[in-house]
Amino acid sequence: MPTSPAPAPPPPEPSPTPAETPAEADEYSDPSSITVVVNKQRALQPVEFAPAELVLPQVSLAANQENALLRPDAAAAVEEMFAAAAVDGIGLTLVSGYRSYAVQVGTYNHWVNQYGGDTAAADNVSARPGFSEHQTGLAFDVGQSDGACTLGSCFADTPAGSWTADNAHRFGFIVRYQQGAQGVTGFFAEPWHLRFVGTETAGDMRDQGIVTLEEYFGLPAAPGY
């Protein structure tokens, strides 16, 4: 009696796209940690991660409230920083805070469309979904209260930009994407993009003159996906 043929093996799982590939787990992979490192080689784990709690900082906003939320620890630091800036005669405003995975899909696609479908160009200015610091609730974009140079490279030369660069570390923030660091971070300079890492880390980076988290924590550079 003829034997039945062996069942065909199941088809292989499709290979994940770069935007779906998680980073290898290490001590800087926990998305709930203030020292999580997110870059083009280090996706959030899981990629659709959302913080357990988000609050609205009680500061001047240049965004609707839904787009200005932050983790409570980052929000408290923002309030302290904005108050200190005001004492020094500097008006700051919060331009953008937490972005969900779904919102980042739209943000990234906007930039791809702006560059005529050129994803390589878009990758210089926008993170792909699952690879954005904004998704952690620890990052925000800061602006000058009069709107001068909002989200523009000239922000660095405004009173608000200069004050932020000199003082953000006092409140646990770093300017995440600095001039000359694109070979490490993968992004053009963004003097308005601040990342909360805590006063210990921010202060030590300042003291040592280290401007990227990758270099500070001894992690590989991530110029591309």
Side-chain angles (χ1 to χ4, degrees):
M1 179 176 181
T3 57
S4 300
E13 292 293 326
S15 299
T17 64
E20 296 172 337
T21 305
E24 183 178 350
D26 57 33
E27 61 183 308
Y28 305 113
S29 298
D30 180 356
S32 64
S33 170
I34 62 170
T35 56
V36 63
V37 179
V38 186
N39 59 33
K40 291 180 177 180
Q41 292 295 314
R42 298 175 61 87
L44 285 165
Q45 300 183 40
V47 293
E48 295 188 3
F49 167 80
E53 183 180 4
L54 294 166
V55 299
L56 180 68
Q58 299 304 300
V59 297
S60 172
L61 303 179
N64 62 47
Q65 293 185 1
E66 184 180 359
N67 294 326
L69 301 175
L70 291 170
R71 275 181 32 167
D73 46 2
V78 165
E79 292 173 355
E80 292 178 12
M81 187 176 80
F82 278 42
V87 170
D88 290 343
I90 301 296
L92 301 179
T93 189
L94 194 158
V95 177
S96 178
Y98 169 72
R99 294 187 206 135
S100 67
Y101 180 93
V103 169
Q104 193 64 28
V105 169
T107 299
Y108 180 72
N109 287 341
H110 163 79
W111 285 106
V112 172
N113 291 334
Q114 286 288 104
Y115 287 103
D118 186 346
T119 57
D123 286 340
N124 290 320
V125 298
S126 179
R128 297 181 185 181
F131 291 79
S132 173
E133 285 199 326
H134 282 278
Q135 195 178 324
T136 67
L138 295 169
F140 80 102
D141 297 331
V142 65
Q144 187 161 278
S145 57
D146 63 2
C149 293
T150 298
L151 303 183
S153 59
C154 58
F155 176 72
D157 301 319
T158 65
S162 179
W163 188 94
T164 296
D166 290 340
N167 293 280
H169 67 284
R170 295 167 46 202
F171 309 94
F173 292 98
I174 61 169
V175 178
R176 179 66 169 103
Y177 307 120
Q178 297 207 21
Q179 192 71 41
Q182 186 179 359
V184 176
T185 66
F187 292 101
F188 291 158
E190 294 187 358
W192 60 85
H193 179 100
L194 301 186
R195 162 65 196 278
F196 184 67
V197 294
T199 54
E200 182 177 353
T201 296
D204 196 38
M205 289 178 68
R206 175 83 172 189
D207 291 344
Q208 294 191 50
I210 299 174
V211 301
T212 72
L213 291 178
E214 289 81 4
E215 292 168 299
Y216 183 72
F217 291 130
L219 299 172
Y225 292 99

